[in-house]
Amino acid sequence: PEFEQKLMGYNGQSSSLMAGLSGSLQGDSLEDGITAGLRDLIKNMKAKDQVSIKPFMLLSLLYMRFPHFAEKNEHGAPMQQDANEFLTELLRICQQKLKPNEEPNVTSSRNVSSFIDQYFGIEYDTTMKCEDDAAKDEAPTNNTEKSLQLNCFISQEVKYMLTGIKSKLKEEITKRSPT
Protein backbone atom coordinates (compact mmCIF):
# COMPACT_ATOMS: atom_id res chain seq x y z
CA PRO A 1 0.00 0.00 0.00
CA GLU A 2 2.86 2.43 0.70
CA PHE A 3 4.20 2.14 -2.85
CA GLU A 4 0.75 2.79 -4.30
CA GLN A 5 0.24 5.79 -2.00
CA LYS A 6 3.61 7.24 -2.98
CA LEU A 7 2.86 6.79 -6.69
CA MET A 8 -0.57 8.42 -6.29
CA GLY A 9 1.16 11.42 -4.71
CA TYR A 10 3.64 11.70 -7.59
CA ASN A 11 2.97 14.98 -9.40
CA GLY A 12 4.49 14.12 -12.76
CA GLN A 13 2.22 15.02 -15.64
CA SER A 14 0.37 12.49 -17.73
CA SER A 15 0.68 14.97 -20.59
CA SER A 16 4.37 14.08 -20.69
CA LEU A 17 3.23 10.60 -21.72
CA MET A 18 1.92 11.95 -25.02
CA ALA A 19 5.12 13.90 -25.62
CA GLY A 20 7.04 10.71 -24.96
CA LEU A 21 4.98 8.78 -27.46
CA SER A 22 5.70 11.38 -30.10
CA GLY A 23 9.42 10.82 -29.46
CA SER A 24 10.19 14.25 -28.01
CA LEU A 25 11.04 12.99 -24.51
CA GLN A 26 14.48 11.82 -23.54
CA GLY A 27 16.36 10.92 -20.36
CA ASP A 28 14.89 12.45 -17.22
CA SER A 29 11.64 13.55 -18.88
CA LEU A 30 11.11 10.04 -20.24
CA GLU A 31 11.57 8.65 -16.74
CA ASP A 32 9.03 11.21 -15.45
CA GLY A 33 6.61 9.92 -18.08
CA ILE A 34 7.22 6.29 -17.08
CA THR A 35 6.62 7.06 -13.40
CA ALA A 36 3.44 9.01 -14.24
CA GLY A 37 2.37 6.18 -16.56
CA LEU A 38 2.82 3.61 -13.81
CA ARG A 39 0.77 5.80 -11.48
CA ASP A 40 -1.99 6.19 -14.07
CA LEU A 41 -2.00 2.45 -14.83
CA ILE A 42 -2.51 1.64 -11.16
CA LYS A 43 -5.30 4.26 -10.96
CA ASN A 44 -7.01 2.63 -13.93
CA MET A 45 -6.63 -0.83 -12.44
CA LYS A 46 -8.21 0.35 -9.16
CA ALA A 47 -11.11 2.13 -10.89
CA LYS A 48 -14.36 0.21 -10.60
CA ASP A 49 -15.72 1.49 -13.92
CA GLN A 50 -12.89 0.08 -16.08
CA VAL A 51 -13.97 -2.81 -18.28
CA SER A 52 -10.49 -3.39 -19.68
CA ILE A 53 -7.06 -1.96 -19.06
CA LYS A 54 -4.73 -1.16 -21.95
CA PRO A 55 -1.28 -0.12 -20.74
CA PHE A 56 -0.23 1.00 -24.24
CA MET A 57 1.16 4.40 -23.21
CA LEU A 58 3.30 3.03 -20.38
CA LEU A 59 4.49 0.14 -22.52
CA SER A 60 5.46 2.48 -25.36
CA LEU A 61 7.49 4.68 -23.00
CA LEU A 62 9.20 1.61 -21.53
CA TYR A 63 10.07 0.44 -25.05
CA MET A 64 11.57 3.87 -25.81
CA ARG A 65 13.65 3.85 -22.62
CA PHE A 66 14.61 0.16 -22.84
CA PRO A 67 14.54 -0.87 -26.52
CA HIS A 68 15.68 -4.42 -25.77
CA PHE A 69 12.29 -5.05 -24.12
CA ALA A 70 10.62 -4.29 -27.48
CA GLU A 71 12.52 -6.96 -29.42
CA LYS A 72 10.47 -9.31 -31.57
CA ASN A 73 11.20 -12.81 -32.82
CA GLU A 74 11.32 -13.89 -36.47
CA HIS A 75 7.50 -14.24 -36.49
CA GLY A 76 6.95 -10.68 -35.25
CA ALA A 77 5.80 -11.73 -31.79
CA PRO A 78 7.32 -10.09 -28.70
CA MET A 79 10.29 -12.01 -27.35
CA GLN A 80 10.25 -13.37 -23.83
CA GLN A 81 12.02 -11.01 -21.42
CA ASP A 82 13.61 -11.38 -18.02
CA ALA A 83 11.04 -10.33 -15.38
CA ASN A 84 13.76 -9.63 -12.81
CA GLU A 85 15.56 -7.29 -15.21
CA PHE A 86 12.31 -5.47 -15.96
CA LEU A 87 11.44 -5.06 -12.28
CA THR A 88 14.98 -3.87 -11.52
CA GLU A 89 14.81 -1.20 -14.25
CA LEU A 90 11.36 -0.05 -13.13
CA LEU A 91 12.54 0.20 -9.51
CA ARG A 92 15.60 2.19 -10.61
CA ILE A 93 13.37 4.75 -12.32
CA CYS A 94 11.12 4.99 -9.25
CA GLN A 95 14.26 5.20 -7.09
CA GLN A 96 15.18 8.43 -8.91
CA LYS A 97 11.68 9.93 -8.91
CA LEU A 98 10.07 9.06 -5.58
CA LYS A 99 11.31 10.90 -2.50
CA PRO A 100 11.39 9.07 0.87
CA ASN A 101 8.57 9.35 3.39
CA GLU A 102 9.43 11.73 6.18
CA GLU A 103 7.04 10.38 8.80
CA PRO A 104 8.89 9.61 12.06
CA ASN A 105 7.42 6.12 12.40
CA VAL A 106 8.38 5.16 8.82
CA THR A 107 11.91 6.46 8.41
CA SER A 108 14.50 4.13 9.85
CA SER A 109 17.77 5.12 11.45
CA ARG A 110 19.64 4.66 8.18
CA ASN A 111 19.99 7.51 5.74
CA VAL A 112 17.86 6.93 2.63
CA SER A 113 17.61 9.11 -0.45
CA SER A 114 14.50 7.63 -2.06
CA PHE A 115 11.28 5.83 -1.29
CA ILE A 116 12.55 2.71 -3.05
CA ASP A 117 15.66 2.63 -0.83
CA GLN A 118 13.46 3.16 2.21
CA TYR A 119 11.07 0.27 1.52
CA PHE A 120 12.90 -2.07 -0.85
CA GLY A 121 16.54 -1.39 -0.01
CA ILE A 122 18.74 -3.87 1.77
CA GLU A 123 21.75 -2.77 3.78
CA TYR A 124 24.22 -5.39 4.90
CA ASP A 125 27.70 -5.56 6.37
CA THR A 126 30.49 -7.26 4.48
CA THR A 127 33.76 -8.60 5.80
CA MET A 128 36.53 -9.41 3.39
CA LYS A 129 39.60 -11.25 4.54
CA CYS A 130 42.40 -12.90 2.71
CA GLU A 131 42.44 -16.69 2.94
CA ASP A 132 45.89 -16.94 1.38
CA ASP A 133 48.53 -18.29 3.78
CA ALA A 134 51.04 -15.63 2.71
CA ALA A 135 48.70 -12.81 3.81
CA LYS A 136 47.11 -14.25 6.97
CA ASP A 137 48.27 -11.24 9.03
CA GLU A 138 46.42 -8.81 6.71
CA ALA A 139 43.49 -7.23 8.61
CA PRO A 140 39.94 -7.96 7.40
CA THR A 141 38.14 -5.16 5.57
CA ASN A 142 34.67 -4.31 6.89
CA ASN A 143 32.20 -2.38 4.79
CA THR A 144 28.47 -1.66 4.44
CA GLU A 145 26.82 -2.29 1.08
CA LYS A 146 23.38 -1.41 -0.25
CA SER A 147 21.30 -3.34 -2.73
CA LEU A 148 17.75 -3.68 -4.01
CA GLN A 149 17.81 -7.46 -4.18
CA LEU A 150 19.29 -10.62 -2.77
CA ASN A 151 20.27 -13.19 -5.38
CA CYS A 152 19.17 -16.77 -4.97
CA PHE A 153 20.02 -19.27 -7.67
CA ILE A 154 18.21 -22.59 -7.49
CA SER A 155 20.42 -25.47 -8.61
CA GLN A 156 21.03 -29.17 -7.91
CA GLU A 157 22.66 -28.26 -4.57
CA VAL A 158 20.18 -25.50 -3.67
CA LYS A 159 16.60 -26.70 -3.62
CA TYR A 160 15.11 -24.22 -1.13
CA MET A 161 15.11 -20.44 -1.30
CA LEU A 162 16.36 -20.01 2.28
CA THR A 163 19.36 -22.23 1.54
CA GLY A 164 20.12 -20.21 -1.60
CA ILE A 165 19.95 -16.87 0.20
CA LYS A 166 22.16 -18.11 3.03
CA SER A 167 24.74 -19.40 0.57
CA LYS A 168 24.87 -16.01 -1.22
CA LEU A 169 25.31 -14.19 2.09
CA LYS A 170 28.40 -16.23 2.87
CA GLU A 171 30.53 -16.90 -0.16
CA GLU A 172 34.13 -16.90 -1.21
CA ILE A 173 35.20 -14.67 -4.07
CA THR A 174 38.58 -14.18 -5.68
CA LYS A 175 40.01 -10.68 -5.89
CA ARG A 176 43.41 -9.44 -6.88
CA SER A 177 45.41 -7.47 -4.34
CA PRO A 178 48.73 -5.65 -4.75
CA THR A 179 49.93 -7.04 -1.38
Side-chain angles (χ1 to χ4, degrees):
E2 290 87 358
F3 184 53
E4 179 185 338
Q5 290 170 353
K6 186 55 94 169
L7 273 173
M8 293 306 135
Y10 181 71
N11 60 5
Q13 298 298 314
S14 298
S15 60
S16 63
L17 291 172
M18 294 309 288
L21 293 178
S22 69
S24 61
L25 278 184
Q26 292 181 342
D28 208 39
S29 297
L30 186 55
E31 291 170 355
D32 279 329
I34 290 171
T35 308
L38 181 60
R39 176 202 60 211
D40 294 345
L41 175 63
I42 291 174
K43 270 186 198 175
N44 288 337
M45 290 169 54
K46 300 284 263 177
K48 303 288 185 209
D49 60 345
Q50 292 288 333
V51 177
S52 65
I53 306 293
K54 297 176 183 162
F56 174 73
M57 293 172 78
L58 175 61
L59 194 58
S60 296
L61 288 170
L62 287 166
Y63 286 167
M64 287 176 63
R65 178 65 178 84
F66 307 106
H68 62 280
F69 287 133
E71 293 175 352
K72 299 193 183 288
N73 65 18
E74 63 274 0
H75 303 293
M79 292 180 66
Q80 182 173 340
Q81 299 295 333
D82 184 349
N84 180 56
E85 181 182 357
F86 174 77
L87 181 61
T88 301
E89 296 296 353
L90 196 57
L91 284 177
R92 286 192 201 289
I93 288 174
C94 291
Q95 188 178 32
Q96 296 170 12
K97 298 298 171 187
L98 301 176
K99 303 293 179 225
N101 284 341
E102 296 180 14
E103 301 167 21
N105 62 342
V106 175
T107 305
S108 67
S109 59
R110 62 189 174 119
N111 187 16
V112 293
S113 59
S114 76
F115 176 85
I116 299 300
D117 292 336
Q118 188 175 24
Y119 282 89
F120 294 92
I122 303 165
E123 191 173 285
Y124 50 94
D125 296 326
T126 61
T127 302
M128 292 188 358
K129 61 182 177 179
C130 187
E131 295 291 326
D132 188 62
D133 289 334
K136 283 284 186 191
D137 40 323
E138 195 173 305
T141 304
N142 296 312
N143 202 356
T144 300
E145 293 183 12
K146 294 179 181 182
S147 179
L148 290 179
Q149 67 182 7
L150 282 176
N151 293 322
C152 174
F153 300 105
I154 305 300
S155 66
Q156 292 291 344
E157 298 81 35
V158 177
K159 294 184 170 91
Y160 301 101
M161 186 168 59
L162 183 59
T163 309
I165 291 173
K166 283 182 179 178
S167 72
K168 287 302 283 185
L169 289 175
K170 185 172 184 152
E171 66 180 341
E172 287 186 21
I173 59 173
T174 302
K175 291 194 171 189
R176 303 278 181 227
S177 174
T179 58

